[in-house]
């Protein structure tokens, strides 16, 4: 199903070489189409059809609405730098240029955010549209545009939309993109004009994918069908503050405490677990309901991540006292789902002269479909982002009664609306969206979710369950916000105070923002609307009928953690805890990342500082660090195991002398990661409920709440997993590192038990289970890679496929062949700095990646470096479709021109947009 489409880049040959290569590719395309698709099909996909959608990058074009000429200068990778004399001209040109390269992607995005995918792709998307209409992103975005955004932001959004529409004027679908030509065989779809709200809606999609711990909330509730409270606690250990340093260690804790004790209306919070309905999730009916919700989330198209699971990022900044240049260096590499084109679009936006009429000189990474620069630098400051992971969503159990819901003993009417979903090639469908005071009823969107919890355990104060409870969603992004204002304010900020003021507008999604400036200052701030709860901590669904569980407000902006010029001289954010919970009065979340990447980065910085000064290339090399922290813990144990089987011993010897780095060509990394995967499967995966296990993987299990192996006399039932492979558990991330680390102190724990399987031994303790995992791993890799261990390599297992996120996943085979790229063999792994993520429950394939990498040099911006996962273009036969990918795979960075002189020196094509 179509999630977001985004750009990809790669190395681009010279002009004459590009023309010859493009012509050859076009001829190959036509030939392939004619042979495989038939003469009529091949004739339709003619050379002229392919060429029609490629953008004009030289000469001049007249655009109605410009007040003066605009120069668009592209380098050899097709990356544009725009020069204008007014803000409106700058953003109008941005809209035009992004539409040239990426309009199909932009169009899919806006149909996703509006719940209108069925209009493009037919009945297969109706269920997704129903859910997206229920969330109502476009409705909230419209309110945002109408009521909360500043006049200047609206002006920029209007100018951007004007530029997009100038590109669309007079074009048919096939003139815009090959994908529209493909859709033309089954659909008479015609692209509509772009609107400012289309741009704002994208921020809601971004917020959804970065929403925090909602999946953990669901998973914990689902676990109660087979696991007890202590067993679940084993699988969600406390954050290791003493070992993995949080982001803020030198903040002004007194300020936070003062705000907390000052009687602020949002200051009442509880750090204790939820009561009452938190135990209700143990009921089988509620389990079915939550499983249905999880399945809907799995199927929902993603915007920038993997449905909220596994999303991470690295960013760090080092002060000038520790760098070769004497000025700060700032690095960022967000970890997102691999998409084609990449979610990011590189661009520079330059006013020829800075004035009140034209205020921007900024460059970096943007989203196609949205004006401004999201991550990058201007002439004074640089900034990066990582997902903070703070909890901004809560699931509420709702007692339905007739046409309303129960709240503090009174039945209140639903807020409802009727939505009509238009379906390409089929009849329209009407749905009714119902909302409580907490938010939309997600349980209306799946057959399994209509009834709730007939056997759910609730306390004596709970209302009679009757036909069951429903589930609603409370989420900060359901209220109009100001994030779009923040993007422009950050783009023009010139110092820390302006940056901090701008960041307070970045309300949804809450992100870790790091900062550096040319005056040798560094900083960190956590912005966002972060709720304060009356009762409960957000870790499990809570009673919607009891006002004691309402949100009481938001953490005051002045009380959110930050650091400015810390004494240590550097700041690291990599999704770890923001601040020690014992030193902060508010609950930010119960589900941080566990700090494996952040601590490794911190250790690398310390080692570099101890050895001298840090360079730009040192920062790049840190981004590529492949060291496996779980291997450092487990390999010494694995090497001590006595295994008589010579084939298993042969694999075991691969670990001797291994330096724990996960290079693509490493046989040791391949074997260790297989052992790790099998440890997780044997110890935990086979004991989890079917709702968390991989779809189609079936087990015979005892129908009892125990982690131990069934007694031979026990009756067993066959249960098959229900979750997509890239969403299943145990996923092998650093939460599981911490689970295993703690359980190693109890080598006879029931978790270390597993039954015999055929000729393979069972286990009753940790060493026996490790031994069994080594055996299973040997034969798994024999099946996948061959018996000769000398031919094994991590990259043969750990491969990246880039797929166009619409027709590249569900289109005809020939279309997939044309649009998709890969595979590439990758180094790195889960919870490493070079976070090429994979899901241990589902296999070894790459699930998410560093979607871009950048290193900003605050001493000389022209010595900064950057790379994108794919390329500037969304056109499959552009030279810039994946021209950055091979360099990205090799860990290379490209020159990042900023000054007008550097841009001129790197310019290959110049297009003049004239009024």
């Amino acid at each position: 199903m179509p999630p977001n489409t985004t750009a990809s880049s790669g190395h681009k040959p010279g002009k004459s070489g590009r023309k010859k290569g493009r012509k050859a590719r076009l001829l190959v395309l036509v030939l392939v189409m004619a042979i495989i698709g038939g003469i009529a099909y091949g004739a339709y996909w003619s050379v002229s059809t392919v060429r029609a959608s490629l953008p004009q990058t030289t000469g001049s074009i007249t655009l109605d609405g410009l007040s003066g000429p605009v120069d668009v200068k592209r380098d050899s990778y097709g990356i544009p730098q725009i020069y204008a004399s007014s803000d409106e001209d700058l953003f109008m040109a941005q809209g035009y240029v992004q539409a040239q390269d990426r309009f199909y992607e932009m169009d899919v995005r806006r149909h996703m955010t509006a719940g209108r995918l069925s209009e493009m792709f037919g009945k297969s998307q109706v269920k997704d549209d129903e859910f997206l209409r229920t969330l109502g992103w476009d409705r909230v975005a419209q309110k945002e545009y109408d009521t909360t955004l500043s006049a200047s932001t609206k002006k920029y959004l209007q100018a951007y939309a004007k530029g997009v529409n100038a590109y669309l004027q007079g074009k048919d679908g096939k003139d815009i993109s090959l994908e529209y030509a493909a859709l033309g065989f089954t659909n008479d779809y015609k692209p509509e004009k772009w609107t400012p709200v289309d741009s704002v809606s994208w921020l809601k999609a971004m917020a959804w994918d970065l929403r925090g711990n909602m999946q953990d909330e669901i998973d914990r509730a689902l676990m109660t069908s087979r696991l007890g409270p202590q067993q679940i606690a084993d699988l969600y250990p406390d954050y290791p503050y003493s070992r993995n340093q949080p982001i803020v260690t030198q903040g002004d804790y007194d300020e936070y405490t003062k705000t907390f004790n000052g009687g602020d209306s949002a200051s009442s919070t509880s750090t204790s677990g939820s009561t009452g309905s938190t135990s209700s999730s143990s009921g089988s009916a509620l389990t079915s309901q939550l499983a249905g919700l999880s399945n809907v989330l799995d199927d929902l198209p993603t915007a920038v991540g993997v449905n909220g699971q596994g999303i991470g990022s690295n960013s760090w900044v080092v002060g000038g006292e520790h760098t070769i240049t004497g000025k700060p260096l700032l690095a960022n590499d967000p970890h997102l789902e691999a998409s084609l084109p990449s979610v990011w679009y590189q661009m520079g936006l330059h006013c020829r002269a800075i004035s009140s009429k034209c205020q921007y000189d900024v460059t970096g990474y943007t989203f196609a479909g949205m004006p401004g620069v999201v991550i990058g630098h201007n002439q004074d400051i640089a900034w990066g982002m990582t997902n903070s992971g703070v909890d901004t969503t809560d699931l509420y159990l709702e007692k339905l009664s007739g046409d309303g819901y129960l709240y503090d003993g009174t039945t209140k009417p639903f807020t409802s609306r009727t939505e009509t979903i238009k379906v390409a090639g089929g009849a329209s469908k009407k749905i009714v969206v119902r909302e409580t005071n907490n938010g939309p009823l997600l349980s209306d969107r799946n057959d399994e979710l209509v009834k709730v919890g007939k056997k759910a355990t609730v306390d004596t104060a709970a209302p009679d369950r009757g036909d069951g409870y429903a589930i609603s969603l409370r989420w900060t992004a359901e209220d109009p916000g100001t994030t779009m204002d923040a993007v422009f304010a950050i783009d023009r900020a010139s110092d820390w105070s302006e940056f901090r003021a701008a960041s307070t507008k970045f309300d949804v999604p809450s992100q870790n923002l790091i900062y550096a400036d040319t005056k040798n200052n560094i900083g960190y701030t956590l912005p966002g609307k972060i709720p304060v709860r009356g009762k409960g901590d957000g870790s499990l669904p809570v009673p919607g009928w009891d006002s004691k569980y309402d949100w009481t407000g938001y953490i005051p902006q002045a009380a959110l953690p930050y650091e400015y010029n810390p004494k240590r001289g550097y700041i690291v954010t990599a999704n770890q805890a923001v601040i020690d919970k014992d030193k902060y009065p508010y609950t930010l979340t119960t589900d941080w990342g566990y700090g494996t990447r952040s601590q490794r980065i911190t250790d690398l910085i310390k080692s570099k500082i101890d050895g001298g000064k840090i360079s730009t290339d040192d920062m790049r090399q840190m981004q590529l660090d492949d060291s496996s922290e779980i291997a450092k813990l487990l390999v010494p144990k694995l090497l001590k195991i006595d295994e008589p089987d010579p084939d298993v011993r042969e694999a075991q010897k691969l670990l001797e002398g291994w330096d724990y780095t996960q290079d693509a060509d490493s046989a040791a990394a391949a074997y260790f990661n297989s052992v790790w995967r099998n440890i997780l499967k044997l110890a935990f995966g086979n004991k989890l409920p079917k709702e968390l296990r991989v779809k189609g993987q079936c087990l015979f299990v005892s129908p009892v709440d125990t982690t131990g192996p069934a007694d031979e006399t026990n009756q067993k039932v066959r249960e098959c997993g229900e979750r997509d492979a890239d969403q299943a558990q145990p996923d092998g991330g650093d939460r599981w590192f911490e689970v295993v680390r703690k359980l190693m102190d109890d080598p006879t724990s029931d978790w270390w038990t597993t039954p015999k399987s055929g000729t393979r031994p069972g286990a009753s303790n940790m060493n026996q289970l490790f031994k069994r995992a080594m055996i299973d791993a040997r034969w798994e890799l024999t099946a996948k890679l061959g018996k000769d261990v000398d031919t094994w390599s991590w990259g043969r297992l750990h491969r990246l496929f880039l797929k166009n996120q619409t027709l590249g996943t569900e289109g005809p085979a020939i279309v997939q062949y044309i649009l998709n790229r890969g595979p590439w063999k990758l180094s790195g792994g889960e919870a490493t700095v070079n976070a090429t993520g994979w899901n241990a429950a589902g296999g070894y394939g790459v699930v998410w990646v560093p979607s871009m990498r950048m290193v900003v040099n605050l001493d000389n911006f022209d010595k900064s470096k950057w790379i994108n996962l794919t390329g500037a273009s969304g056109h499959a036969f552009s030279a810039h479709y994946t021209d950055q990918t091979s360099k990205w795979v090799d860990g290379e960075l490209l020159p990042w021109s900023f000054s007008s002189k550097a841009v001129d020196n790197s310019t290959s094509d110049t297009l003049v947009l004239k009024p």
Side-chain angles (χ1 to χ4, degrees):
M1 75 222 33
N4 124 48
T5 47
T6 19
S8 48
S9 11
H11 184 66
K12 170 177 170 184
K15 293 182 183 177
S16 62
R18 289 200 306 273
K19 290 178 180 177
K20 292 177 181 177
R22 182 179 302 160
K23 186 174 294 185
R25 284 191 295 271
L26 295 176
L27 292 174
V28 169
L29 168 63
V30 175
L31 180 62
V32 170
M33 285 301 200
I35 293 173
I36 299 181
I39 298 300
Y41 192 69
Y44 184 84
W45 287 68
S46 63
V47 172
S48 62
T49 300
V50 175
R51 282 180 174 163
S53 62
L54 297 177
Q56 178 181 339
T57 60
T58 60
S60 65
I61 298 174
T62 299
L63 298 187
D64 291 338
L66 287 176
S67 63
V70 177
D71 295 329
V72 181
K73 301 179 180 182
R74 293 179 182 261
D75 67 9
S76 60
Y77 289 86
I79 299 170
Q81 304 281 345
I82 299 176
Y83 290 83
S85 299
S86 74
D87 291 339
E88 290 93 329
D89 284 356
L90 194 63
F91 295 117
M92 181 177 176
Q94 183 181 18
Y96 184 87
V97 171
Q98 287 191 339
Q100 279 188 306
D101 286 334
R102 303 280 198 94
F103 181 77
Y104 176 76
E105 169 197 355
M106 294 163 58
D107 201 15
V108 172
R109 283 180 173 180
R110 67 166 166 177
H111 278 78
M112 180 183 72
T113 58
R116 297 173 55 200
L117 289 167
S118 300
E119 294 178 21
M120 295 184 75
F121 304 104
K123 63 181 180 180
S124 66
Q125 298 305 305
V126 169
K127 286 294 184 183
D128 291 333
D129 283 347
E130 289 179 5
F131 194 85
L132 292 162
R133 294 286 182 97
T134 301
L135 292 174
W137 293 341
D138 60 331
R139 297 173 60 85
V140 180
Q142 184 69 60
K143 290 179 184 177
E144 205 161 285
Y145 182 80
D146 292 339
T147 63
T148 65
L149 296 181
S150 68
S152 63
T153 292
K154 291 181 183 179
K155 182 173 62 176
Y156 299 155
L157 288 165
Q158 291 162 5
Y160 182 90
K162 189 187 299 183
V164 176
N165 292 328
Y167 167 76
L168 294 177
Q169 188 173 0
K171 290 183 174 66
D172 293 328
K174 63 183 177 61
D175 300 324
I176 298 171
S177 172
L178 279 174
E179 288 92 333
Y180 289 120
L183 283 176
F185 287 105
T186 57
N187 189 350
D188 60 357
Y189 171 80
K190 299 290 190 297
E192 300 172 354
K193 286 187 175 181
W194 194 263
T195 73
V197 174
D198 291 334
S199 295
V200 179
S201 295
W202 176 239
L203 291 170
K204 301 303 173 184
M206 186 175 84
W208 176 255
D209 278 359
L210 303 174
R211 63 192 176 271
N213 76 335
M214 183 172 164
Q215 191 64 56
D216 286 318
E217 190 174 339
I218 293 170
D219 286 357
R220 271 190 292 265
L222 291 173
M223 286 179 183
T224 60
S225 66
R226 292 198 66 82
L227 303 177
Q230 181 55 53
Q231 293 167 324
I232 295 173
D234 288 344
L235 303 186
Y236 288 89
D238 292 336
Y239 183 89
Y241 289 98
S242 61
R243 189 174 67 255
N244 294 343
Q245 181 175 293
I247 298 170
V248 174
T249 61
Q250 298 173 215
D252 187 352
Y253 304 127
D254 290 339
E255 178 181 349
Y256 306 139
T257 304
K258 180 179 179 182
T259 304
F260 179 64
N261 292 332
D264 188 281
S265 62
S267 62
S268 176
T269 187
S270 170
T271 57
S272 63
S274 307
T275 60
S277 75
T278 58
S279 62
S280 71
S281 54
S282 63
S284 61
L286 180 57
T287 296
S288 176
Q289 181 198 31
L290 288 169
L293 174 57
S294 181
N295 291 338
V296 171
L297 299 181
D298 285 353
D299 290 339
L300 194 67
T302 54
V304 295
V306 190
N307 288 320
Q309 286 270 72
I311 297 177
S313 298
N314 300 323
S315 72
W316 65 94
V317 58
V318 180
E321 67 268 33
H322 297 311
T323 69
I324 289 174
T325 66
K327 291 288 181 68
L329 295 170
L330 184 149
N332 197 185
D333 56 287
H335 307 153
L336 303 172
E337 184 178 33
S339 58
L340 180 60
S342 161
V343 71
W344 299 108
Y345 184 93
Q346 296 151 291
M347 178 175 260
L349 302 172
H350 308 278
C351 289
R352 293 190 177 96
I354 301 296
S355 67
S356 59
K357 181 182 178 182
C358 200
Q359 305 173 74
Y360 296 89
D361 189 13
V362 62
T363 180
Y365 294 86
T366 71
F367 293 131
M370 200 180 87
V373 169
V374 178
I375 294 174
H377 71 83
N378 60 27
Q379 68 274 30
D380 297 307
I381 73 167
W383 66 96
M385 295 184 190
T386 62
N387 193 25
S388 69
V390 299
D391 187 2
T392 60
T393 60
D394 279 343
L395 297 175
Y396 282 85
L397 304 181
E398 303 283 2
K399 167 59 180 173
L400 306 188
S401 178
D403 293 328
Y405 60 95
L406 193 67
Y407 184 71
D408 279 350
T410 301
T411 299
K412 301 185 68 173
F414 295 115
T415 300
S416 62
R417 65 181 187 272
T418 300
E419 298 271 357
T420 300
I421 298 172
K422 297 178 181 179
V423 182
S428 298
K429 180 176 182 180
K430 290 184 182 294
I431 64 168
V432 175
V433 176
R434 301 187 296 176
E435 295 185 0
T436 72
N437 60 333
N438 292 310
L441 283 177
L442 302 187
S443 49
D444 281 352
R445 297 284 73 89
N446 185 279
D447 292 341
E448 291 183 350
L449 306 184
V450 175
K451 293 184 179 180
V452 188
K454 289 186 176 180
K455 297 182 180 179
T457 302
V458 293
D459 62 22
T460 55
D464 182 84
R465 60 179 51 86
D467 290 333
Y469 304 127
I471 290 182
S472 65
L473 171 69
R474 182 78 169 98
W475 179 35
T476 54
E478 289 288 305
D479 300 322
T482 56
T483 300
M484 198 71 245
D485 284 340
V487 171
F488 294 116
I490 291 173
D491 283 356
R492 61 177 182 263
S494 62
D495 58 27
W496 172 247
S497 61
E498 291 183 1
F499 178 79
R500 276 267 288 171
S503 72
T504 62
K505 300 176 184 296
F506 206 105
D507 48 11
V508 177
S510 177
Q511 297 287 284
N512 296 312
L513 299 182
I514 60 167
Y515 166 94
D517 64 36
T518 56
K519 296 180 180 178
N520 218 357
N521 300 300
I522 64 172
Y524 161 83
T525 190
L526 175 70
K529 289 173 68 174
I530 304 172
V532 177
R533 297 164 176 87
K535 291 184 68 175
D537 60 5
S539 62
L540 284 166
V542 293
W545 54 79
D546 187 345
S547 63
K548 294 185 179 68
Y549 291 88
D550 287 355
W551 290 0
T552 61
Y554 299 97
I555 300 176
Q557 290 290 314
L560 291 174
Y562 72 94
E563 279 192 337
Y564 185 59
N565 291 330
K567 293 179 181 178
R568 63 184 178 274
Y570 58 87
I571 300 169
V572 176
T573 86
N575 317 114
Q576 79 270 42
V578 169
I579 192 169
D580 192 324
K581 65 178 181 179
D582 294 332
K583 298 179 179 179
Y584 190 67
Y586 298 98
T587 298
L588 296 172
T589 186
T590 60
D591 294 292
W592 299 113
Y594 279 74
T596 300
R597 280 180 288 109
S598 61
Q599 194 57 46
R600 175 63 178 171
I601 295 166
T602 298
D603 292 342
L604 289 170
I605 291 172
K606 286 180 178 179
S607 68
K608 291 288 185 181
I609 290 173
D610 291 343
K613 302 283 187 178
I614 295 177
S615 68
T616 300
D617 197 58
D618 289 333
M619 301 284 276
R620 179 189 69 84
Q621 290 183 22
M622 289 182 206
Q623 290 178 325
L624 303 177
D625 183 78
D626 293 327
S627 179
S628 170
E629 297 303 301
I630 190 64
K632 293 176 185 177
L633 177 69
L634 292 181
V635 166
K637 297 281 187 182
L638 299 177
L639 288 174
K640 292 179 180 178
I641 291 174
D642 183 19
E643 170 51 48
D645 187 314
D647 292 311
V648 178
R649 281 205 313 273
E650 182 183 35
Q652 182 185 33
K653 287 180 180 178
L654 293 173
L655 304 179
E656 295 178 359
W658 180 42
D659 64 358
Y660 311 119
T661 60
Q662 298 170 96
D663 297 325
D665 61 358
S666 171
Y671 182 59
F672 172 76
N673 281 319
S674 183
V675 174
W676 169 237
R677 178 174 185 249
N678 280 280
I679 288 173
L680 293 173
K681 177 182 177 181
L682 295 168
F684 312 106
N686 291 349
K687 298 159 189 171
L688 295 177
K690 62 182 183 297
E691 293 86 1
L692 275 69
R693 299 202 313 269
V694 175
K695 189 179 297 182
Q697 291 186 1
C698 302
L699 298 170
F700 284 93
V701 299
S702 298
V704 292
D705 294 347
T706 177
T707 61
D711 190 270
E712 291 299 323
T713 61
N714 284 351
Q715 182 181 2
K716 294 184 179 181
V717 294
R718 188 172 185 263
E719 287 187 350
C720 298
E722 298 179 352
R723 189 165 287 186
D724 287 347
D726 62 359
Q727 300 288 313
Q729 292 293 337
D731 61 20
D734 65 353
R735 172 164 68 89
W736 294 99
F737 291 12
E738 193 66 17
V739 169
V740 169
R741 183 188 298 274
K742 286 184 174 293
L743 286 174
M744 286 174 70
D745 293 332
D746 184 8
T748 60
S749 165
D750 282 346
W751 289 110
W752 299 125
T753 62
T754 194
K756 179 180 178 182
S757 177
T759 62
R760 297 184 188 177
S764 59
N765 60 48
M766 182 182 72
N767 284 339
Q768 290 176 0
L769 187 136
F770 283 5
K771 183 175 182 177
R772 165 69 180 275
M774 290 172 64
I775 296 169
D776 288 357
R778 163 70 211 208
W779 298 115
E780 180 188 10
L781 293 197
T782 297
K784 291 180 182 294
L785 303 180
K787 189 171 182 179
D788 185 356
V789 299
D790 291 335
T791 67
W792 291 1
S793 70
W794 176 225
R796 288 179 61 194
L797 294 171
H798 193 54
R799 298 187 298 167
L800 170 67
F801 291 85
L802 291 177
K803 293 186 176 182
N804 176 291
Q805 296 297 292
T806 57
L807 301 180
T809 58
E810 295 196 354
I814 180 60
V815 176
Q816 293 190 38
Y817 176 81
I818 291 168
L819 296 177
N820 297 340
R821 299 291 185 270
W824 287 269
K825 298 175 181 179
L826 296 192
S827 301
E830 179 62 30
T832 62
V833 181
N834 184 20
T836 55
W838 56 286
N839 185 300
Y844 303 98
V846 176
V847 178
W848 58 87
V849 294
S851 56
M852 62 81 158
R853 298 186 184 102
M854 74 176 199
V855 179
V856 182
N857 184 326
L858 275 294
D859 180 58
N860 184 342
F861 287 123
D862 289 333
K863 292 185 178 179
S864 301
K865 304 285 186 180
W866 62 353
I867 196 78
N868 203 356
L869 172 64
T870 58
S873 180
H875 299 286
F877 288 90
S878 167
H880 307 303
Y881 191 50
T882 54
D883 60 340
Q884 293 183 52
T885 306
S886 293
K887 289 183 176 293
W888 176 91
V889 169
D890 292 338
E892 297 181 40
L893 299 177
L894 303 176
W896 184 355
S897 299
F898 177 65
S899 70
S900 57
K901 181 179 179 180
V903 169
D904 285 343
N905 289 339
S906 64
T907 295
S908 293
D909 294 341
T910 300
L911 173 69
V912 179
L913 304 177
K914 296 181 177 181

